[in-house]
Amino acid sequence: MSGTTRPAARAGSRASADRLARLLNLVPYLLARPGIEIAEAAGDLGVTERQLREDLELLWVCGLPGYGPGDLIDMAFDGDRVTITYDAGIDRPLRLTPDEALALVVALRMLAETPGVANRDAVERALAKIEDAAGDLVAAPVEVRLPGDTERVEQLRAAVEGGRALRITYYAAARDETTERVIDPLRVLMVGGRTYVEAWCRRAEAVRLFRADRIDAVTELTEPAVVPPQARPHDLREGAFRPSPDLPLITLRIGRGERWITEYYPCERVESDGERWVVSLRVTDLGWARRFVLGLGPDVEVVAPAELAEQIRESAAAALEAYARPVPAGADPAAVGDRQ
């Protein structure tokens, strides 16, 4: 398996989804404009004439179950003009299934509860309309609670809206350390199901993302937040973690049970090695990588760098040695384990 095939596969999936949406819009569009010129329709729909003709050819074999001559979408051509003569019911409004209605309500509820969302009133109005239209499809009231400390998130959001600087005590998991710093908040947002405050960090002198559930303490200062002109929000469309060439690159040989890594983390290389895969990915630092690999289990081998492999061997040996120590007579095994 090669990592170079993944972007092409994603591009193909997006193209198929775009074409499906275009086809669903095409029939109502043509019904409202009988006899329209293909060139004019292509311009309105933002496609080439060739693509529109290919879409029309595909529509010709779409229709209702049975797929006989009287079940398929039909159209008439007069030179370069087209008219839909049978729509197979596609002009009718689509109705949500119970699962679709529930999923949409939950998604909108989560969006409405997300701190820092713009146009919250518009979200609430859309939610009210859908809940009213769904009626009995959603049998019970839906309540959504976002992960994390709601009070802490509201405190962060209030600081952003009030334009105040914050003093926070923050646990950095990548370095396994807790630090105190003063930040000038830019925005509160949700990425990958987690809430973050993006801020100018005076200690790092750069824009940083801080996970709300890793902020141990926060104090709103009386001084206003002062964000330097060079500070720019991060592009988070691909997630909170942004691998770059200056970060350490690790290479692992993984078994079938660990292939989820390639879906959960951005990998630079994924290759097949018989029954195992060889994956390469960027990490924030080797300390995080050591804890990450130790938590994966025995079906993972560190290929590179050698420094990481040595750190893992030392950590594993120390753990085995701790387990091999006898528990003193009368001692609480749990307490002994805690001290180790």
Side-chain angles (χ1 to χ4, degrees):
M1 178 178 178
S2 172
T4 57
T5 61
R6 291 179 173 273
R10 288 195 295 266
S13 177
R14 285 195 300 269
S16 299
D18 291 344
R19 190 177 193 190
L20 175 60
R22 193 167 64 245
L23 290 172
L24 291 174
N25 289 326
L26 183 55
V27 174
Y29 171 85
L30 293 177
L31 284 172
R33 300 164 179 82
I36 189 172
E37 291 187 353
I38 291 179
E40 181 182 349
D44 288 347
L45 298 170
V47 297
T48 64
E49 290 187 42
R50 177 181 176 181
Q51 181 62 68
L52 180 56
R53 291 182 184 277
E54 291 177 354
D55 289 345
L56 292 173
E57 290 176 2
L58 180 57
L59 276 178
W60 225 326
V61 294
C62 297
L64 300 173
Y67 306 109
D71 303 315
L72 301 178
I73 294 173
D74 201 4
M75 61 195 79
F77 290 91
D78 181 11
D80 286 335
R81 298 178 178 273
V82 60
T83 299
I84 296 288
T85 57
Y86 178 63
D87 57 43
I90 291 184
D91 64 323
R92 302 170 189 167
L94 296 178
R95 294 188 63 82
L96 297 174
T97 67
D99 288 345
E100 290 170 339
L102 180 60
L104 190 55
V105 169
V106 169
L108 285 171
R109 281 281 178 210
M110 178 171 288
L111 188 61
E113 294 297 324
T114 301
V117 169
N119 299 323
R120 188 183 299 272
D121 290 343
V123 174
E124 294 285 358
R125 289 196 301 272
L127 181 59
K129 289 180 180 179
I130 292 173
E131 287 181 327
D132 181 61
D136 296 335
L137 290 180
V138 181
V142 176
E143 182 177 1
V144 175
R145 293 188 181 274
L146 298 179
D149 186 338
T150 303
E151 183 178 349
R152 176 61 43 78
V153 171
E154 288 301 319
Q155 190 176 9
L156 295 171
R157 184 174 63 82
V160 172
E161 294 177 351
R164 295 292 183 182
L166 297 174
R167 177 177 288 107
I168 63 172
T169 302
Y170 187 71
Y171 171 68
R175 296 184 298 276
D176 192 25
E177 67 176 7
T178 299
T179 59
E180 186 175 285
R181 57 188 78 199
V182 175
I183 62 172
D184 301 295
L186 292 167
R187 57 177 175 166
V188 175
L189 66 163
M190 177 169 283
V191 183
R194 300 186 185 278
T195 304
Y196 294 80
V197 57
E198 187 174 32
W200 175 262
C201 177
R202 298 184 187 180
R203 174 180 173 177
E205 296 186 343
V207 175
R208 291 286 187 265
L209 280 174
F210 301 98
R211 265 178 55 172
D213 59 344
R214 291 180 178 167
I215 299 177
D216 295 329
V218 57
T219 302
E220 184 173 324
L221 304 181
T222 56
E223 61 182 284
V226 180
V227 180
Q230 69 269 24
R232 293 291 182 274
H234 293 104
D235 183 354
L236 301 174
R237 287 174 293 183
E238 299 297 327
F241 177 67
R242 298 167 300 281
S244 58
D246 59 314
L247 293 176
L249 180 69
I250 68 171
T251 300
L252 309 174
R253 184 176 287 108
I254 63 175
R256 183 177 298 274
E258 280 71 37
R259 291 182 181 180
W260 60 268
I261 294 172
T262 62
E263 300 295 334
Y264 194 81
Y265 295 98
C267 297
E268 292 193 1
R269 181 170 66 106
V270 180
E271 295 180 352
S272 176
D273 184 16
E275 290 295 317
R276 298 161 73 82
W277 286 1
V278 177
V279 300
S280 298
L281 61 154
R282 299 283 175 180
V283 296
T284 52
D285 58 48
L286 293 186
W288 180 90
R290 175 180 59 82
R291 297 190 296 275
F292 172 65
V293 174
L294 284 170
L296 291 176
D299 203 17
V300 176
E301 175 189 352
V302 177
V303 178
E307 178 186 355
L308 176 60
E310 181 60 29
Q311 289 180 6
I312 290 174
R313 278 193 291 269
E314 292 176 355
S315 297
L320 289 173
E321 181 183 356
Y323 277 108
R325 295 174 188 167
V327 178
D332 182 358
V336 173
D338 291 340
R339 289 196 298 271
Q340 292 174 348

